[in-house]
Amino acid sequence: MSAEANPQLALRPMLPDEVPLLAEIFRASVMELTGEDYTEEQQEAWAAAADDEDAFAERLAREITIVATMGGSPVGFASLESNDKIGFFYVHPAVVERGVGTMLADALEKLAAGRGAEALNVDASDTACDFFGKRGYAAQQRNSVRRGDEWLSNTTMKKTLASKETVQ
């Protein structure tokens, strides 16, 4: 048996048969990482978005969804809802602050720029605002969104991207 002290991080497109695992990453991220910013009822309402696995899978498939792996196993995922907007962005609590979120964000920013977006927007949870702020995203507006019987707040944030000519 061998163990890696620092298992290698990698990115790849989402595979349809891993939706149940991505749903678990989504739920774990919401329930374990957002407790300082949202009530338990809000967390449960938010996490319930993955309860209808078919609808969850359909949304992931509609978006450009990438999966971060560590040692070959999925540990996070993110998506572009449109060329200039991040849809999903979730990292398993066990790997927070190990470069997974940075790798996902770098990839989405390059992908959006490559698809012609001049800026990238995200509706960041209160928990994620600091992460995106440190990456150069600026707050644009506060939002209230309904999840089940609960209202959750988030912040629309925007980052100007390098032009295609600059990226090349």
Side-chain angles (χ1 to χ4, degrees):
M1 176 160 81
S2 69
E4 286 184 71
N6 294 305
Q8 186 172 4
L9 293 175
L11 288 175
R12 62 170 171 70
M14 177 193 78
L15 303 173
D17 65 345
E18 64 194 355
V19 168
L21 181 56
L22 299 184
E24 286 307 311
I25 292 170
F26 172 82
R27 287 186 196 97
S29 180
V30 169
M31 297 305 294
E32 296 179 39
L33 299 176
T34 66
E36 290 184 18
D37 300 302
Y38 299 94
T39 67
E40 188 174 334
E41 293 79 16
Q42 289 173 315
Q43 289 174 297
E44 288 171 0
W46 183 0
D51 289 350
D52 181 344
E53 207 167 277
D54 291 337
F56 191 74
E58 188 176 304
R59 181 165 172 211
L60 287 171
R62 256 195 331 265
E63 299 181 10
I64 298 171
T65 303
I66 56 175
V67 175
T69 62
M70 182 177 282
S73 299
V75 293
F77 67 100
S79 68
L80 283 180
E81 182 177 306
S82 63
N83 287 348
D84 65 352
K85 184 166 186 201
I86 295 173
F88 287 100
F89 197 97
Y90 294 90
V91 174
H92 194 279
V95 297
V96 167
E97 296 189 13
R98 294 189 56 194
V100 176
T102 297
M103 185 175 65
L104 286 166
D106 287 347
L108 290 182
E109 290 166 11
K110 287 176 185 169
L111 185 57
R115 296 172 71 84
E118 294 179 8
L120 189 57
N121 298 284
V122 62
D123 291 334
S125 69
D126 292 350
T127 306
C129 280
D130 282 347
F131 172 81
F132 286 106
K134 288 175 184 172
R135 294 190 59 82
Y137 288 75
Q140 303 295 302
Q141 70 181 32
R142 288 288 285 165
N143 309 300
S144 292
V145 293
R146 189 162 183 113
R147 298 287 180 256
D149 292 333
E150 296 292 324
W151 286 96
L152 287 80
S153 294
N154 67 30
T155 301
T156 299
M157 300 181 80
K158 179 179 182 177
K159 178 179 182 175
T160 301
L161 301 174
S163 68
K164 279 199 256 188
E165 294 78 33
T166 308
V167 173
Q168 295 173 355

